[in-house]
Amino acid sequence: MVSILLNGRKVSTAARTVTELRAQTHPDADVTIYNGFQTAEDFPLCEGDTVAFLRKGVMPNPAELESLLCARHTPKVHQKVKAGAVAVAGLGGLGSQVAVFLARTGVGRLLLVDFDVVEPSNLNRQHYDMRHLGRYKTEALQEQLLQINPYLTVEIQTVRVTPGNAVSLFSGFPIVCEAFDNPAAKADLINTLLEQCPGVRIVAASGMAGYASANDIHTKRKFQSLYVCGDGHTEAQPGCGLMAPRVAVCAAHQANMILRLLLGIETE
C-alpha cells in the first residue's frame, strides 16, 4: 500500500501503477496528470505521489475542483503559492496581466489597487473586454480572477496610491508588484516602500513599449529588495506605443519573479 494524493484527497492504494489506479478509480478519465505532468504513459506509484484523473466536459464536484485547477503545478509548489500574499499596484497592461498569471498560479491572497476605470484604449493590451468599459478596474479584474479561481482571496482598494497612503495600503503584503504607467508614480511607490517597508520585496517594470525584440526584456535585481523587469529604456512616446505582446512578456517576467520569491528563490 502507498499513500498518495488522488484528485486532492489523501488515499491509500494497492495499485502499483498509474494505469492500474485509473482502471480502479476513474476508468472513464480522458486525462491523466502525474506529479504535475500530463501523460498517456504509465508510471509506477510511489509514496507521496500526486495523481489527477479528469474527464473532459464534465464539471468536477466542489471537493475536487480546487485540486484539479492546480493539477498541472509541480507537487509541493502549490502549497507554498497558496499561502502567499501579493499586492498589485496598478491594473493596466502590466498589472492586469500579472494578476491573471498569479491567479492561474494559485496565489492564495491578492490585493488589487487602482483608481481608474476601463476605457476603450485600454483594450489593446489590458485584460479587459467590452463588457468592462466604464467599470472600475479593481472591480472588473476581481470578478475575472474569481471566475478563473474561486478559491482565492481577492481584495480591492479603489484609490490612487500616494507616498502618504502606500505604507498603510500594502501593510501585510510581503511582495508588491509595481505596475504603474506614470514614471513619477513608479518612483514614489518604490522609494516609499524601500525607505519605510524594508521587509517588502518589490517587483517593478521599466521599458516594454513598442515592438522591438522581446528577447531584450529581462529581470534584474537592482537592490536586495527590488527587482526590475523590462529592457530598461524603451518608453511609450509618440511613434512608440504600448502593444500587447511586449507588455505581456514583461508582465510574465514580473509574475515569474513573484512566483520565484514565493518559493524562496531570490535570484533573478
Side-chain angles (χ1 to χ4, degrees):
M1 300 286 286
V2 293
S3 179
I4 65 170
L5 203 63
L6 174 61
N7 284 25
R9 293 186 301 111
K10 191 172 183 178
V11 301
S12 294
T13 179
R16 293 166 295 177
T17 69
V18 172
T19 298
E20 188 177 334
L21 179 68
R22 182 178 61 200
Q24 293 176 3
T25 63
H26 295 76
D28 296 331
D30 302 302
V31 176
T32 298
I33 300 173
Y34 170 72
N35 288 338
F37 175 63
Q38 183 172 333
T39 181
E41 299 178 27
D42 200 10
F43 289 92
L45 282 175
C46 300
E47 187 75 16
D49 280 345
T50 298
V51 182
F53 296 122
L54 291 78
R55 187 175 178 188
K56 293 182 178 179
V58 176
M59 176 64 73
N61 64 56
E64 292 183 318
L65 181 58
E66 183 178 12
S67 68
L68 296 180
L69 285 172
C70 303
R72 294 301 301 273
H73 294 173
T74 306
K76 297 184 174 56
V77 165
H78 175 59
Q79 293 91 326
K80 291 183 179 179
V81 173
K82 185 177 179 180
V86 179
V88 182
L91 304 179
L94 289 172
S96 65
Q97 302 286 358
V98 169
V100 168
F101 291 144
L102 297 180
R104 294 194 188 282
T105 305
V107 176
R109 183 183 175 209
L110 295 170
L111 171 65
L112 311 178
V113 184
D114 201 301
F115 67 92
D116 212 350
V117 298
V118 181
E119 45 92 358
S121 70
N122 298 152
L123 302 186
N124 83 318
R125 68 196 184 283
Q126 301 182 17
H127 204 276
Y128 307 103
D129 55 46
M130 289 290 180
R131 65 189 161 152
H132 299 125
L133 291 177
R135 294 186 60 187
Y136 284 116
K137 291 181 179 181
T138 49
E139 296 174 359
L141 192 58
Q142 180 188 48
E143 180 180 280
Q144 292 181 74
L145 299 189
L146 291 176
Q147 288 174 344
I148 292 169
N149 188 337
Y151 299 96
L152 307 178
T153 297
V154 183
E155 304 165 28
I156 61 174
Q157 288 284 351
T158 307
V159 297
R160 185 189 293 271
V161 178
T162 68
N165 65 13
V167 174
S168 61
L169 278 172
F170 301 116
S171 176
F173 289 87
I175 301 173
V176 176
C177 172
E178 178 280 310
F180 292 147
D181 290 336
N182 185 289
K186 285 177 178 284
D188 282 343
L189 176 60
I190 292 170
N191 290 335
T192 299
L193 294 180
L194 287 177
E195 292 171 3
Q196 300 184 44
C197 302
V200 172
R201 272 85 55 83
I202 307 158
V203 181
S206 176
M208 77 293 300
Y211 44 86
S213 175
N215 294 330
D216 294 336
I217 293 175
H218 51 261
T219 302
K220 287 291 185 183
R221 189 176 190 177
K222 296 293 187 180
F223 304 109
Q224 182 175 357
S225 300
L226 175 63
Y227 300 80
V228 180
C229 306
D231 66 23
H233 62 86
T234 308
E235 298 180 359
Q237 57 186 306
C240 183
L242 293 164
M243 303 182 71
R246 221 161 177 263
V247 171
V249 170
C250 188
H253 269 261
Q254 288 186 282
N256 192 61
M257 190 65 242
I258 291 168
L259 172 60
R260 289 171 65 79
L261 291 173
L262 290 171
L263 296 177
I265 306 168
E266 302 210 358
T267 57
E268 68 271 19

